[in-house]
Amino acid sequence: MDNTNPEVLARAGLTHIIEPNDQTGAALVQVTGAIDAYRLIREHTGPAPAREQQQVAELLDAHGASRSALRLDAGLERWRPRAALADPESDLKLMTRLGGGLIAPQDPNWPTGFEALGLAAPLALWYRGDGDLAILRDTSRLVAIVGSRDATEYGRTITAELVHGLRAHGICIVSGGAYGIDAQAHQAALAEDPPTNQSPGQRTTPPTIAVMAGGLNRFYPVGNEDLLKAVHRQGLLIAEVAPGATPSRWRFLQRNRMIAALCATTIVSEARWRSGALSTAHHAAEMGREVGAVPGSVFSANSAGCHRLIREGAATLVTDAAEAIELLNLPVQAPIPAEAVPGTRDSGTTEAEDRRDYDGLPIQDLLLLDALPVRIPRTADQLAIVAGLGMGSILGGLSRLAARSLAERTGNGWIRRFPNGREPQRGAPTPR
Amino acid sequence: MDNTNPEVLARAGLTHIIEPNDQTGAALVQVTGAIDAYRLIREHTGPAPAREQQQVAELLDAHGASRSALRLDAGLERWRPRAALADPESDLKLMTRLGGGLIAPQDPNWPTGFEALGLAAPLALWYRGDGDLAILRDTSRLVAIVGSRDATEYGRTITAELVHGLRAHGICIVSGGAYGIDAQAHQAALAEDPPTNQSPGQRTTPPTIAVMAGGLNRFYPVGNEDLLKAVHRQGLLIAEVAPGATPSRWRFLQRNRMIAALCATTIVSEARWRSGALSTAHHAAEMGREVGAVPGSVFSANSAGCHRLIREGAATLVTDAAEAIELLNLPVQAPIPAEAVPGTRDSGTTEAEDRRDYDGLPIQDLLLLDALPVRIPRTADQLAIVAGLGMGSILGGLSRLAARSLAERTGNGWIRRFPNGREPQRGAPTPR
C-alpha cells in the first residue's frame, strides 16, 4: 500500500507507540479507526473522552478482557510519552529503502490466520525481503518449526529432516529467527531452495519466513546476521513493532503468538521444560491449530518440553516428516511401505519379516506351525497330538502352510520350512 | 490347594490338553465344571452330546465369540488326541518337587485381574518359587514392564530407573522372562531386594514375577536360566500351561494377555515397531488398564513401537518413575521440586531460573524491566518513554522490582540488577 496513505501512516505510527497485544490500543483502533486513534493519542490531553472511554470498555468486556489496567485513560497515559517520538513517514521511508514496507489489515496480503487473534491481532505488519507477500494469506501452506535456543545435534538433525519433507510439499517454514532450532529451520529451508537470479521487483514464494521480536531495521540476534540476510534475499522477515524497536522480553513472548496465529500447524522439534517454544505451541493449541512435538531421549533436558506437550495432550507425537504432513490434513498420502517404517528399516532382528510371514494364518495353523519339527519329520497323526488339533485341521493346515512354503512333505512326514532360508535365532525360536 | 483335590487334578489335566485362550474349552468348563469337562474329553466318543453342544454355543454367543471353529465337537476333536497323554498326578508331583504347584480359580490367591478376561481367562495357574502367592490378588501392586528382546543400553537404563522407583513404592515387577527389556526388568527388581535367609516354607512378598509361555519344569530361554533361578529363589514364575509344554508361538502371544490381565499398569520401556510388547499393551488398554510407554530417539528402531503406542493414544508418555507412579493412581505424591524436573536439572542455560525470577510480575513490570539499563542509569521520566508506561506504573513497578532485587536506585536514576549475580548471556538477552 502507498506510504502516503493516511491509514498506513497512522498504523505505522501506532506500531511505534502501542506495545504488541495491548488490547486497549486494539479496542481504541476498532472504535475510532486507526487515523482518529493516532490523532487522539497525539493531540488529546487530560482524561480520556467519555464516549471513547465507554466504547473501549464495552468492547474489552465483550472480549472478556476488561481490567482496570486496560481502561482507555490508563492506556493514554502509557502511550502519550512515546507519541511525540513517533515518526511514521521516516519509518516508512527507511523500510522502503531496506526493501520492505508496511501491511495494514486492509491489505490483500494481510495474514488470514490473524483473524483468530481478535483484539490480540497486530495493528499492522512490517515486512522486509524479496519473498512474495501473498503467502501470508495462505495459512494452510505455513508451518512453524520452533524449539529451544540451545539445540543439540539430535534436534538439528530432526529439524532438517522435517523441513526437507515439508518443503517437498511446497510448505513455507516459519520460525522466530533465534539461535538453535529456529536458525536450523530457516537454514534448512533456504538450503532446499537455492537463490535464483530474479529481476528486481520479481517476487517468488518464500521458502521461509522469520517472525522477529524487534524492529526490522537491523538483523537480530547478531550471531544470525548472515542467516537473516539470506532470509531477506530468498524469503521474508516480518514484525509488528516499528523500526528501531528493541527485541524486549515482552515482545519476544508476543512474537510467539504471531507465529502460532500465522500458521496452520506448529511443530516443536526440540524444547526444554521451560521454553518460549512451548508458549508458541500453547497459543497454537488454544487457537485450535494442529501442534506436533518430536520425542527424544528421556535423559535429554532438550526434549523435556516436547514430552511435556505430548503428556499434556497439547501436541501430537511426531517422529518424521510423513507424520508432520499428516497434521496438515493435506490430500491423503500413499501409505508408507512397511520397509520404510521405523523399526523395520535397519532392523537388527528378523522379527518384523518373521511376523509378516505368519500374518493372517488361522489359530489352528499357528498351532500346527509350532508343532512342525525342523529336521526329523512328523506324521499327520503325530502332529495332531503335538499340536492338539483334529485331523481335519492338520490336513487343511499342512496344505495352507505348504502353500506359504512354511511346511514341506518329506517321505510320509512333514517338516518346518523357513522362507528366504531364514533360520530361527538361537535361544529365540519365537517372537515374544 | 491339595494335589488330591479332584478339582485340582481335573484342571491340571485340562491345562495339558486345552491350549491357552481356547474359549470353547473355557465355555465347556463353565457349563459342566472342570471335573465333568475333563471326564467328557477323556471318555466321551463320537459327536458332542447335544445338551453341552447347545449350552457351549449359547455361552460363546453370549460372549460374542461364537464361530464354527469354536463348536464343541470341533473342540473335542482338537482335545482328544492329547487327552490320553495327560497325567495330572505326575505333573502335580513334579511341580511340588520343584517348589511349585497349581492354583485353581477357587484358590484364595487366584489373580483378581483375571476376571477381566472372561472366557479368555486361564483354566488354572501353575507356579514355581518362594514368593508369597497372595501378591497375585493385589492387582494394584503389580506393574508389568515389557519391551523388545534386543534392548539397547538406553532401554536397559530407563528400565532400571523405572523399576527402582516402582520398587520404592512396594510395587512387584511383572514381565515375561524373555531376553532384553524383560530380563532387565526382573534383574533390576531382584537387585533392589537381595535374597534373605528365610526358613523353608516362609514366603515373602516377591519383588518380581516372571510369566512364562512354556511349562515351568524348565527355565527358558536357556540364556536366562541363572536369572530365572534367582526369580525362583526370591519371587515367582507362573504359567497357564502344564509342565513339559513347549513355549510355542501361540503360547507366547497368549502369555502377553496374561501379563496385561494380571497388572494394574503395563509400561513399555523400549519396543520395536512390531513387538510382542505392543500386544501386551493393547491387551491392557482393551481391559481399561493404565498403559505407559517411554519415548526415545526418533532414529532408534527400538523406540518406534513406544512412539506408535503414544500416537495411537493407547499409551501415556512416561519419562521417569514419578510419571509411571502417577499411572498407578496411588495416594498423590508430594510435587516434584522444579530442580528435579527434567530440563531444569543439569540445565545448560539459566533460562529456567531466569523465567522463575519474573513469574507473576504484571505486564507493566516486565516492560519496565526490559527498559532498565545495565550500566548507565535512567531516570523515571526516561524509563516512562522507553518502556511506554505512565509515571504511576513506573514508580510502582520500580519499587516492586527493587523488592525482588531486579532493579536498583543509583543517584537519581535506576539500573537493572540480576539475582545471584547472574548476567544475561551474550547474544541472548531474553528468553525466547
Side-chain angles (χ1 to χ4, degrees):
Chain A
M1 281 168 82
D2 174 5
N3 285 353
T4 64
N5 177 318
E7 179 79 22
V8 170
L9 281 163
R11 290 192 177 261
L14 291 169
T15 62
H16 188 100
I17 295 167
I18 299 175
E19 282 292 330
N21 200 7
D22 179 336
Q23 304 204 4
T24 311
L28 176 62
V29 168
Q30 203 157 314
V31 165
T32 66
I35 296 168
D36 289 352
Y38 186 47
R39 185 182 301 118
L40 179 69
I41 295 168
R42 289 171 63 87
E43 297 170 7
H44 186 81
T45 55
R51 204 170 109 273
E52 283 75 7
Q53 175 90 324
Q54 175 63 18
Q55 292 173 316
V56 165
E58 284 165 7
L59 193 53
L60 289 168
D61 276 329
H63 286 76
S66 181
R67 277 180 278 108
S68 63
L70 295 178
R71 287 164 48 88
L72 177 56
D73 46 20
L76 288 171
E77 203 203 338
R78 279 201 299 279
W79 305 325
R80 280 189 189 122
R82 279 187 185 161
L85 306 175
D87 184 354
E89 290 82 357
S90 66
D91 284 346
L92 286 162
K93 278 205 201 73
L94 169 65
M95 287 309 296
T96 305
R97 197 166 64 249
L98 296 176
L102 187 87
I103 304 173
Q106 296 80 356
D107 190 292
N109 293 324
W110 183 254
T112 320
F114 283 175
E115 278 162 24
L117 288 171
L119 279 184
L123 297 172
L125 200 58
W126 293 93
Y127 72 91
R128 184 175 177 185
D130 298 337
D132 182 353
L133 296 165
I135 188 73
L136 297 172
R137 293 193 307 248
D138 198 351
T139 310
S140 64
R141 282 178 61 205
L142 297 168
V143 172
I145 298 188
V146 294
S148 293
R149 279 172 297 131
D150 60 333
T152 66
E153 201 46 44
Y154 174 73
R156 288 198 176 83
T157 307
I158 184 64
T159 299
E161 282 205 7
L162 292 173
V163 170
H164 176 79
L166 288 164
R167 288 295 299 143
H169 284 71
I171 300 299
C172 171
I173 307 298
V174 176
S175 197
Y179 294 124
I181 296 300
D182 286 22
Q184 174 71 348
H186 293 303
Q187 188 64 68
L190 294 169
E192 292 288 322
D193 157 301
T196 53
N197 295 337
Q198 54 200 245
S199 54
Q202 177 203 337
R203 296 181 166 277
T204 58
T205 303
T208 188
I209 298 175
V211 183
M212 309 305 287
L216 298 182
N217 54 306
R218 55 188 275 247
F219 295 110
Y220 176 90
V222 285
N224 283 352
E225 186 167 358
D226 291 347
L227 170 63
L228 294 170
K229 282 179 176 166
V231 172
H232 179 153
R233 278 192 304 277
Q234 295 169 253
L236 286 171
L237 296 90
I238 60 175
E240 64 184 310
V241 294
T246 57
S248 67
R249 180 181 315 277
W250 174 253
R251 292 163 189 162
F252 267 107
L253 295 177
Q254 294 312 316
R255 184 272 314 273
N256 295 337
R257 98 192 186 289
M258 271 178 75
I259 292 176
L262 199 59
C263 303
T265 301
T266 292
I267 296 172
V268 184
S269 54
E270 192 182 42
R272 306 181 71 87
W273 183 257
R274 305 189 73 159
S275 160
L278 270 56
S279 88
T280 309
H282 283 126
H283 280 300
E286 284 158 19
M287 283 183 282
R289 308 288 170 85
E290 294 291 344
V291 180
V294 178
S297 166
V298 297
F299 303 118
S300 165
N302 289 65
S303 289
C306 292
H307 296 153
R308 181 182 188 175
L309 286 171
I310 295 163
R311 272 178 64 77
E312 290 170 348
T316 302
L317 186 149
V318 166
T319 67
D320 59 18
E323 292 175 353
I325 286 153
E326 267 183 48
L327 290 179
L328 302 182
N329 308 317
L330 294 175
V332 181
Q333 309 295 312
I336 309 158
E339 291 61 33
V341 171
T344 61
R345 74 180 173 203
D346 73 284
S347 168
T349 74
T350 63
E351 187 175 309
E353 308 89 315
D354 207 28
R355 289 287 297 279
R356 268 200 298 287
D357 293 337
Y358 309 113
D359 284 351
L361 283 178
I363 292 173
Q364 289 90 331
D365 291 5
L366 285 173
L367 294 169
L368 172 58
L369 195 66
D370 295 328
L372 280 170
V374 177
R375 280 169 191 70
I376 301 97
R378 276 181 182 148
T379 65
D381 297 343
Q382 294 169 319
L383 287 171
I385 292 170
V386 176
L389 293 170
M391 193 50 62
S393 309
I394 292 291
L395 298 179
L398 285 171
S399 61
R400 279 188 294 272
L401 295 181
R404 290 198 185 199
S405 347
L406 293 170
E408 182 177 15
R409 172 163 214 116
T410 68
N412 62 350
W414 293 79
I415 60 166
R416 177 91 160 78
R417 269 195 58 202
F418 298 90
N420 331 330
R422 275 201 311 283
E423 287 286 329
Q425 299 167 283
R426 277 188 53 72
T430 53
R432 1 172 346 192
Chain B
M1 281 168 82
D2 175 4
N3 286 352
T4 63
N5 177 317
E7 178 80 21
V8 170
L9 281 164
R11 290 190 178 263
L14 291 169
T15 64
H16 188 99
I17 295 168
I18 299 176
E19 282 292 330
N21 200 7
D22 180 334
Q23 305 205 4
T24 311
L28 175 62
V29 169
Q30 201 156 316
V31 164
T32 66
I35 296 169
D36 289 352
Y38 185 48
R39 184 182 303 117
L40 177 69
I41 295 170
R42 287 170 63 86
E43 298 170 8
H44 185 82
T45 54
R51 202 170 109 274
E52 284 75 5
Q53 176 91 324
Q54 174 64 17
Q55 290 173 318
V56 165
E58 283 165 10
L59 193 53
L60 289 169
D61 275 329
H63 286 75
S66 181
R67 276 180 278 106
S68 63
L70 296 178
R71 288 165 48 88
L72 177 54
D73 47 18
L76 289 171
E77 205 203 336
R78 277 201 299 280
W79 305 324
R80 278 186 189 125
R82 277 187 186 162
L85 306 176
D87 184 354
E89 291 82 356
S90 66
D91 284 346
L92 288 161
K93 278 205 202 73
L94 168 64
M95 287 308 298
T96 306
R97 196 165 65 248
L98 296 176
L102 186 87
I103 303 174
Q106 296 80 356
D107 191 292
N109 293 323
W110 183 255
T112 321
F114 283 175
E115 278 162 23
L117 288 173
L119 279 186
L123 296 173
L125 201 57
W126 293 92
Y127 71 90
R128 184 176 176 184
D130 297 339
D132 182 354
L133 295 166
I135 187 72
L136 297 172
R137 295 195 305 250
D138 198 351
T139 310
S140 64
R141 282 178 62 204
L142 297 169
V143 172
I145 297 187
V146 295
S148 292
R149 278 173 295 129
D150 60 333
T152 67
E153 202 46 45
Y154 174 74
R156 288 197 177 83
T157 307
I158 184 64
T159 299
E161 282 206 3
L162 292 173
V163 170
H164 177 79
L166 289 164
R167 288 294 300 142
H169 284 72
I171 300 299
C172 171
I173 306 299
V174 176
S175 197
Y179 293 124
I181 296 300
D182 285 22
Q184 175 70 349
H186 292 302
Q187 188 65 68
L190 294 169
E192 291 288 322
D193 157 298
T196 54
N197 294 336
Q198 55 199 246
S199 54
Q202 177 203 338
R203 294 183 167 277
T204 58
T205 303
T208 188
I209 298 174
V211 183
M212 309 305 287
L216 299 182
N217 55 305
R218 56 187 276 248
F219 294 110
Y220 177 89
V222 287
N224 282 352
E225 186 166 0
D226 293 346
L227 170 64
L228 294 171
K229 281 178 176 168
V231 172
H232 179 153
R233 279 192 305 276
Q234 294 170 252
L236 286 170
L237 295 89
I238 59 175
E240 64 184 309
V241 294
T246 56
S248 66
R249 181 180 315 276
W250 174 254
R251 292 163 188 163
F252 268 107
L253 295 177
Q254 294 312 315
R255 185 272 314 274
N256 295 337
R257 99 192 185 288
M258 268 179 77
I259 293 176
L262 200 59
C263 303
T265 302
T266 293
I267 296 172
V268 184
S269 54
E270 192 181 43
R272 305 181 71 86
W273 183 259
R274 306 189 71 157
S275 160
L278 270 57
S279 88
T280 310
H282 282 127
H283 281 300
E286 284 158 18
M287 284 183 282
R289 307 288 171 84
E290 294 291 344
V291 180
V294 177
S297 166
V298 298
F299 303 117
S300 166
N302 289 66
S303 289
C306 292
H307 295 152
R308 180 181 188 176
L309 286 171
I310 295 164
R311 272 178 64 78
E312 291 170 347
T316 301
L317 185 147
V318 166
T319 67
D320 59 19
E323 291 175 354
I325 286 153
E326 268 182 48
L327 290 179
L328 301 181
N329 308 316
L330 295 175
V332 181
Q333 308 298 310
I336 307 157
E339 290 61 32
V341 170
T344 60
R345 75 182 170 200
D346 74 283
S347 168
T349 73
T350 63
E351 187 175 309
E353 307 90 316
D354 207 28
R355 288 288 297 279
R356 267 200 300 287
D357 293 337
Y358 309 114
D359 284 351
L361 283 179
I363 292 172
Q364 288 89 334
D365 291 5
L366 285 174
L367 293 168
L368 174 57
L369 196 66
D370 294 328
L372 280 170
V374 176
R375 281 169 190 70
I376 301 99
R378 275 182 183 147
T379 66
D381 296 344
Q382 294 169 321
L383 288 170
I385 292 170
V386 176
L389 293 170
M391 193 50 63
S393 310
I394 292 292
L395 300 178
L398 284 170
S399 61
R400 279 188 292 271
L401 295 181
R404 291 197 185 200
S405 345
L406 293 171
E408 182 178 17
R409 171 161 213 120
T410 67
N412 63 349
W414 292 79
I415 59 166
R416 177 92 161 75
R417 270 194 58 201
F418 298 91
N420 331 328
R422 263 190 274 99
E423 287 287 328
Q425 300 167 283
R426 278 189 53 71
T430 52
R432 41 153 324 191

